[in-house]
Structure formats: C-alpha cells, structure tokens
C-alpha cells in the first residue's frame, strides 16, 4: 500500500522497449484495433485459475469465495462501452466462462491462443480504464497511473485510496434485519474469509447488471469530464472520507489520500443509510 503518495509524485516509470510497444500494438491491430482508439481492461475474478493450476488446486480456496463474480453480470456494461466505440479486453489467464457477446470490439483475452506475458503487462499499463474486482493485475494499471474502477470487491477498507479510483464494493446486509451495513460497520468487519461474514450473520450480495452498468457510466463520465456532482454528492464524498480516515482500523490501510479517489455516487444513492 502506498501510504506516502510515492506513485503519484514519482517522475520516472519502467518504460517498455520500442519493439515491445510495436509488438503489442501490432497484436491489437491484428484484432481490428486502430491507433488512438480507446480500450478498457476488464478483470473479473472467478474460481477458474486456482482450480486449474496444478499447484494451487492442492488447496481449498473456498475461504475467499466472497471475492468471485460472474462475468454475465457485466454484459450490460460491456455492451454500453462498445456502443461508445470503446474496446473491451476481458482479461485473465484462465476463466470459467467466455463473454457471451459476439462483437468485433470485444477481445476475450483468456481464450486468445497468442496471449503472452508481455501483453498481460502492456495492456494493463496502457488501458484508458481498468475495471477490476481487485485481483492483483490491477496493480499494473495502478503503477502506470491508469484510472481504475473497482467493482464487486470486499472489504471496502482495502480500497486504493492513493490513486485515481472509483469504488463500488459488494453490498453487505444483516441477515437478521435485512438492513445494509453502514460505512462504520464495513470498516469494522473487514473480513478476508467468507466464513467470517457467515458467522456474524452478514449476507454478501453481488452487484446487479444495472448496478454495474450505472457505475461504469459514472466512471467513464468522470474520466470524460462530463459527470457533475451535486452539492449533496460532494458533501457525501467528504463525509465518507472523514469517517474512513478517522476510523480506528484506517491507519493500517490508509495514509496519502488521492484527490480523485472516490466512493461511487451510484453506490451512495443505493445505500441511503450508509453514511449514518
């Protein structure tokens, strides 16, 4: 975690060799991409990699099944992005399902026979937006200062506060009452094991297709400079950060706060009691 804003204030980066850049662009162009066209890297974590890898498959990884999401719930957002003329590269090495949309501006990278390690890095380092469920490769986008939209992840306290990010975590609901957890409760119950949520009587609810679509629209509008926060939105962002940075668990996760790190307004609109 970047507690001091080192990445944001750094003046140098790891640069790609000219041949590496040419090779990666040539690969994109072989799929129909044209120089200057915008593309998004979409990383949706599921169980496939840990189940298929010989070493990892020795172990039971169900303890963090709360991190998994279904690519099918991203289809409305994918369609919206390609309607805007934006390429969508669904990333990953091994995944459970193909993207069930056939469109020339969608590249289902895990199923590309010519995927390679260089492309893994270069694409995340050069995308116009990384959309991720918080899986690890999004750190490449972070290092190269690409904007990131984090969707369907937990716990909220793990958010990348030192970078230009928009965040919409999974919903947490008390099973006994049906009430959504407040921000204070999200920060207090920062579990990394599925059974811990279950033991405390907390239900994890994945984002719907509509939730994902609206948050992707919000993220892209913010990047384009067309999103307008209401006065209430601005006040809620300030209230969110005030609660987060002053929480007793915050010091172990947060230091430098990027001015464009935000909780999604879509998420706040859907959770009227979140900031109580």
């Amino acid at each position: 975690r970047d507690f001091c804003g080192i990445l944001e204030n750094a003046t140098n980066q790891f640069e790609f060799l000219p041949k590496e850049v040419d090779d990666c662009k040539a690969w994109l162009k072989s799929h129909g991409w044209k120089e200057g066209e915008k593309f998004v890297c979409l990383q949706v974590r599921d169980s496939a990699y840990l189940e298929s890898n010989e070493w990892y498959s020795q172990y039971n990884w169900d303890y963090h099944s709360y991190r998994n999401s279904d690519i099918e719930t991203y289809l409305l957002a994918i369609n919206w992005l390609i309607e805007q003329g934006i390429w969508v590269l669904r990333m990953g090495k091994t995944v459970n399902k193909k993207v069930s949309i056939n469109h020339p501006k969608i590249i289902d990278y895990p199923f590309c026979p010519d995927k390679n390690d260089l492309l893994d890095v270069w694409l995340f380092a050069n995308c116009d937006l990384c959309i991720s469920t918080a899986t690890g490769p999004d750190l490449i986008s972070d290092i190269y200062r690409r904007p990131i939209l984090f969707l369907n992840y937990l716990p909220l306290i793990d958010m990348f506060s030192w970078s230009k990010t928009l965040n919409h975590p999974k919903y947490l609901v008390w099973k006994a009452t049906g009430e959504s957890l407040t921000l204070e409760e999200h920060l207090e119950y920062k579990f990394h094991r599925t059974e811990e949520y279950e033991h405390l009587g907390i239900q994890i609810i994945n984002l719907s297709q509509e939730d994902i679509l609206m948050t992707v629209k919000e993220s892209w509008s913010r990047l384009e400079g067309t999103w307008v926060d209401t006065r209430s939105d601005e006040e809620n962002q300030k209230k969110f950060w005030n609660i987060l940075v002053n929480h007793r668990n915050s010091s172990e996760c947060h230091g430098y706060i990027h001015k464009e790190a935000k909780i999604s307004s879509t998420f706040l609109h859907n959770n009227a009691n979140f900031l109580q």
Side-chain angles (χ1 to χ4, degrees), residues 9 28 76 79 89 113 119 121 143 150 158-159 187-188 198 212 234 240 248-249 263:
N9 295 305
L28 272 176
L76 286 179
N79 270 321
L89 281 74
L119 281 167
V121 178
I143 289 168
F150 284 111
D158 285 349
M159 68 183 291
L187 301 175
E188 187 68 27
E198 294 173 349
I212 294 171
E234 293 174 350
F240 169 82
R248 66 186 184 88
N249 290 330
I263 187 73

Side-chain angles (χ1 to χ4, degrees), residues 168-273:
H168 191 319
K170 294 189 179 190
Y171 299 108
L172 296 179
V173 174
W174 292 109
K175 292 180 181 179
T177 65
E179 294 181 359
S180 297
L181 272 68
T182 64
L183 172 56
E184 291 273 3
E185 291 170 327
H186 268 264
L187 301 175
E188 187 68 27
Y189 307 121
K190 53 185 184 63
F191 300 138
H192 292 91
R193 302 184 71 90
T194 304
E195 61 265 26
E196 290 181 288
Y197 292 100
E198 294 173 349
H199 177 73
L200 206 61
I202 297 173
Q203 181 181 4
I204 300 169
I205 301 177
N206 290 343
L207 276 63
S208 68
Q209 287 208 51
E210 291 73 20
D211 291 330
I212 294 171
L213 171 62
M214 295 307 296
T215 313
V216 168
K217 285 183 176 182
E218 177 187 347
S219 179
W220 196 260
S221 295
R222 288 186 183 277
L223 293 181
E224 296 282 278
T226 58
W227 180 270
V228 179
D229 281 312
T230 64
R231 179 174 294 181
S232 175
D233 289 335
E234 293 174 350
E235 290 173 352
N236 284 336
Q237 289 290 336
K238 291 177 182 177
K239 188 173 182 180
F240 169 82
W241 285 109
N242 183 57
I243 295 173
L244 186 144
V245 300
N246 289 296
H247 192 275
R248 66 186 184 88
N249 290 330
S250 186
S251 61
E252 63 191 65
C253 297
H254 303 283
Y256 170 81
I257 306 297
H258 194 284
K259 64 180 181 180
E260 293 190 64
K262 297 181 182 293
I263 187 73
S264 165
S265 291
T266 302
F267 176 72
L268 293 179
H269 293 165
N270 292 338
N271 289 270
N273 301 320

Side-chain angles (χ1 to χ4, degrees), residues 113-178:
D114 54 351
K115 64 179 182 288
N116 60 66
D117 292 345
L118 172 61
L119 281 167
D120 290 347
V121 178
W122 189 89
L123 291 169
F124 276 109
N126 288 275
C127 60
D128 293 279
L129 174 65
C130 171
I131 303 175
S132 176
T133 54
T135 63
D138 42 54
L139 280 164
I140 301 169
S141 294
D142 188 40
I143 289 168
Y144 282 89
R145 315 316 292 147
R146 310 314 302 154
I148 307 174
L149 169 59
F150 284 111
L151 293 171
N152 260 333
Y153 75 99
L154 288 172
L156 172 59
I157 200 168
D158 285 349
M159 68 183 291
F160 286 19
S161 54
W162 59 88
S163 299
K164 185 176 181 177
T165 63
L166 188 68
N167 296 265
H168 191 319
K170 294 189 179 190
Y171 299 108
L172 296 179
V173 174
W174 292 109
K175 292 180 181 179
T177 65

